[in-house]
Amino acid sequence: MTAIQYFWRHPLAEQVREEGREQGLEQGREEGLELGRELGRLTERRQAVLDALEWRDIPVPDPVRERVNSCTDLDQLRIWAQRAVRATDAAELFAGE
């Protein structure tokens, strides 16, 4: 049993654990950056939809704003942004859905 306990205190075991920690931190950073990029794209698309309506002086009721801000589908937000350019009413964003 002492051999097993000794192994965990061995410098090689310490080095392997430290390398594992570093790899885990690097992977976590990468995943965090990608998540941040994705959230940034979502935020930009949501804002583009709402801005298009507001720039055209189309009132944006709270339910429309909430639906746009809760959307997590970049393709759907792109479709809504295209519709917002031609819409005469905010509800037209969701026509046919």
Side-chain angles (χ1 to χ4, degrees):
M1 250 190 159
T2 50
I4 293 173
Q5 289 176 352
Y6 172 75
F7 173 76
W8 295 109
R9 295 182 200 161
H10 191 276
L12 180 60
E14 289 292 329
Q15 179 183 354
V16 169
R17 281 195 295 275
E18 183 58 31
E19 288 173 4
R21 282 187 207 101
E22 289 173 10
Q23 288 175 350
L25 287 172
E26 183 61 31
Q27 182 180 358
R29 282 187 202 103
E30 292 293 324
E31 290 173 5
L33 287 171
E34 183 54 38
L35 179 60
R37 286 185 204 96
E38 181 73 16
L39 291 174
R41 286 189 290 269
L42 282 169
T43 300
E44 289 171 358
R45 288 253 176 109
R46 291 172 182 150
Q47 195 59 49
V49 172
L50 298 173
D51 285 348
L53 293 171
E54 291 171 358
W55 291 334
R56 298 181 62 233
D57 293 322
I58 296 174
V60 181
D62 287 339
V64 170
R65 185 177 306 280
E66 289 170 12
R67 186 166 174 187
V68 170
N69 283 329
S70 66
C71 183
T72 58
D73 183 347
L74 285 169
D75 292 331
Q76 183 63 62
L77 289 165
R78 182 182 50 79
I79 291 167
W80 289 347
Q82 291 171 349
R83 289 179 184 171
V85 173
R86 295 181 296 274
T88 57
D89 182 79
E92 289 180 31
L93 293 179
F94 316 122
E97 294 179 13

